[in-house]
Amino acid sequence: MMRHMNRLRIAARYLKGHLRRFFFLIIAMSFCFAVVTSMTAVSAGMREQVYTAAEQHYAGHLFVLGFQKRAMHLGRMPEGDQVREVVNQILPDYTRIVARTNYFTQGILYFNGSAVRQKYVYGVDWEAEEELFRRQAYSAGGSADLTGTNGVYLSRHTAEELNIAVGDAVLLEVDTWTGQKNLVELTVAAIIDDDSIFGSFRCYLDRTLLNTSLGLEADAASFYGIYLDSPRRAPEAAQELRAALSMRLPTAALIEEKSAFTRELNRSWEGTRYFVIPLEVYVSQVTSLLQAMDLVSYFLYLVMALITLASVFVTYRLILQERERELATMQAIGIPRADISAVLVLESLGVLGLSLGAGFLLSLLMIAISGLFSYDWIPGFEIFLRNGRLSARFTLVQLVGNSLLLAAIVIPAVLIPSRAQLARKPVESLA
């Protein structure tokens, strides 16, 4: 123990004495660490924002949908009570269930002679989803309980297309369950400030009002959105729920990607078929893009790492040549080569620690500077932004991984030239 403490004490003293010589190394390694840490943190922040936006749009982490072939534009779950019962039995870690009626792609809004087709028309239980709508950003109006009213929330994209404002009356055209046209008069209560791929061309109204307009029972639902304690568990929970649900009701194969969902919908069946879908399926295309961005960032990291490796190797070799007499003197007075090598490694680990600390602070500065600018002018980029700006998310795994990679660069770049230097005879070095 005393021997190790002596090594550590000598390494600290030498690091302090030779810190000026290591200045270039610290700059190079800290810049390398800062750039990659910034990129991975921003990528993680973008991924988190995508999941947050998707969670707000779809209302849940895991979903059970019911479809009948006769009306594919309108989901329906006549055995909703059985679905709830299975969820209660299989998923003890769920926090709540949200019921919605979803009218797909066929809804049309009319105002002053103009018309806009809606991608989604949602019938919502306002009381159950109060928290979700309170977190939304609004360009006009705000979160309010519209239970029992004819109020409607529109997306900003829809409002701009129709040149509409809060308080205006609009007409919603729908096809009923039995195929008749129906018109519903609605009053704009709020405009949601979201024109991302999730948010554009959607509207929300009271579920009972939408159900009666579609000729359904007042408490009917198209799907259940299930919130979990741990959103990351959604794919695993989907497998468990689908297996249990298939024992009671006609259930489609497990949906793990969007193409599988499309294939299952194109199959033939009688009556209602139930689909279990984790949130990851809805965001799979976006997350694939983020994974590609991660690969690019780590490719850049690899390139920078190789440059840093060469810089550390050459610079450290020059430093050792400047310290040749010092190291030879240590050998001459009887200090074993293993101890000297250990001191050099500990010294380099100290340099690494300083580089990591400086690199992390530099990454915070880079992220802060990038957060000063708005990027919502980039088409389609809104889904990755929080209030128009990039956000970062640091994780322990990310920081440890980046640190270990830098350590894997530094240690060999130190050991190889130090062993070569110590292999020389002290007499030759002192001559």
Side-chain angles (χ1 to χ4, degrees):
M1 178 62 72
M2 185 61 68
R3 183 178 183 184
H4 294 310
M5 290 300 297
N6 287 334
R7 287 175 174 178
L8 190 60
R9 194 179 299 112
I10 294 172
R13 187 179 300 130
Y14 281 177
L15 176 60
K16 182 179 178 181
H18 296 289
L19 190 59
R20 179 179 55 82
R21 288 173 170 165
F22 292 117
F23 187 68
F24 174 76
L25 282 182
I26 293 173
I27 290 178
M29 291 191 292
S30 61
F31 182 76
C32 175
F33 183 76
V35 169
V36 178
T37 299
S38 300
M39 293 178 67
T40 53
V42 168
S43 177
M46 292 168 64
R47 180 179 285 102
E48 184 178 49
Q49 190 58 33
V50 166
Y51 276 91
T52 299
E55 178 188 327
Q56 287 186 341
H57 173 63
Y58 293 108
H61 305 131
L62 177 63
F63 310 93
V64 180
L65 299 83
F67 285 99
Q68 292 188 11
K69 275 293 182 181
R70 57 179 292 221
M72 292 295 288
H73 62 283
L74 173 61
R76 194 183 184 198
M77 296 195 305
E79 296 91 358
D81 290 340
Q82 292 191 53
V83 175
R84 281 183 176 269
E85 187 178 334
V86 173
V87 170
N88 287 327
Q89 292 175 352
I90 300 301
L91 302 177
D93 59 337
Y94 84 93
T95 56
R96 61 190 172 112
I97 299 179
V98 170
R100 279 187 178 183
T101 298
N102 193 354
Y103 185 72
F104 297 95
T105 68
Q106 302 298 310
I108 302 175
L109 284 173
Y110 295 96
F111 179 73
N112 280 353
S114 299
V116 171
R117 184 177 295 275
Q118 297 295 283
K119 187 176 181 181
Y120 298 99
V121 178
Y122 284 121
V124 176
D125 289 332
W126 296 104
E127 185 177 349
E129 299 195 44
E130 177 185 3
E131 180 186 350
L132 186 148
F133 284 97
R134 195 168 56 244
R135 296 201 311 262
Q136 292 276 13
Y138 297 92
S139 57
S143 178
D145 188 348
L146 302 183
T147 304
T149 73
N150 69 335
V152 62
Y153 285 6
L154 303 181
S155 64
R156 179 163 62 90
H157 224 72
T158 299
E160 290 174 351
E161 289 276 341
L162 293 174
N163 192 24
I164 207 168
V166 171
D168 289 335
V170 296
L171 289 176
L172 173 64
E173 178 188 294
V174 296
D175 292 335
T176 67
W177 176 252
T178 51
Q180 291 81 30
K181 296 288 184 184
N182 195 8
L183 286 175
V184 189
E185 184 174 345
L186 304 170
T187 301
V188 178
I191 297 172
I192 298 174
D193 189 14
D194 184 1
D195 56 0
S196 68
I197 59 173
F198 293 139
S200 59
F201 300 110
R202 59 174 172 168
C203 62
Y204 301 89
L205 59 149
D206 182 62
R207 184 160 66 99
T208 300
L209 175 60
L210 181 58
N211 285 341
T212 53
S213 304
L214 295 170
L216 301 174
E217 303 84 357
D219 62 345
S222 298
F223 73 88
Y224 288 140
I226 304 164
Y227 289 85
L228 304 172
D229 278 336
S230 174
R232 300 289 181 186
R233 212 183 78 79
E236 178 187 347
Q239 294 182 6
E240 298 171 1
L241 182 57
R242 188 263 166 196
L245 203 59
S246 64
M247 304 295 289
R248 294 196 183 194
L249 300 169
T251 308
L254 183 65
I255 306 299
E256 296 181 319
E257 55 184 21
K258 235 174 182 179
S259 59
F261 187 30
T262 304
R263 285 197 304 270
E264 288 297 323
L265 287 176
N266 290 332
R267 295 180 187 274
S268 298
W269 71 80
E270 296 293 331
T272 304
R273 175 166 288 191
Y274 290 87
F275 295 76
V276 180
I277 305 176
L279 184 62
E280 281 76 2
V281 171
Y282 289 121
V283 298
S284 57
Q285 292 175 328
V286 181
T287 53
S288 296
L289 174 62
L290 289 172
Q291 288 172 356
M293 291 173 63
D294 283 342
L295 288 176
V296 171
S297 67
Y298 277 105
F299 173 76
L300 292 176
Y301 195 5
L302 180 61
V303 172
M304 293 183 67
L306 292 174
I307 295 173
T308 304
L309 175 63
S311 301
V312 171
F313 185 84
V314 172
T315 306
Y316 200 75
R317 190 173 180 181
L318 291 173
I319 291 172
L320 288 178
Q321 288 179 358
E322 292 177 1
R323 299 171 62 186
E324 184 177 8
R325 287 176 175 271
E326 172 190 318
L327 298 177
T329 302
M330 293 173 68
Q331 287 180 276
I333 62 177
I335 299 177
R337 289 183 182 178
D339 286 350
I340 300 174
S341 181
V343 167
L344 293 176
V345 170
L346 289 172
E347 188 181 69
S348 65
L349 290 177
V351 173
L352 175 63
L354 291 173
S355 302
L356 294 176
F360 181 72
L361 294 176
L362 183 58
S363 70
L364 293 178
L365 179 61
M366 290 178 173
I367 291 169
I369 292 173
S370 68
L372 295 176
F373 304 97
S374 177
Y375 303 89
D376 54 6
W377 53 271
I378 303 176
F381 204 62
E382 305 88 355
I383 190 175
F384 302 115
L385 307 176
R386 180 179 299 169
N387 298 324
R389 287 170 166 75
L390 290 171
S391 59
R393 180 173 181 266
F394 294 97
T395 65
L396 182 61
V397 172
Q398 167 203 112
L399 291 174
V400 170
N402 292 346
S403 300
L404 290 177
L405 186 55
L406 191 59
I409 296 168
V410 172
I411 293 176
V414 169
L415 282 177
I416 295 172
S418 63
R419 285 184 180 278
Q421 183 64 45
L422 294 176
R424 298 189 62 184
K425 295 180 180 181
V427 176
E428 296 176 1
S429 299
L430 291 172

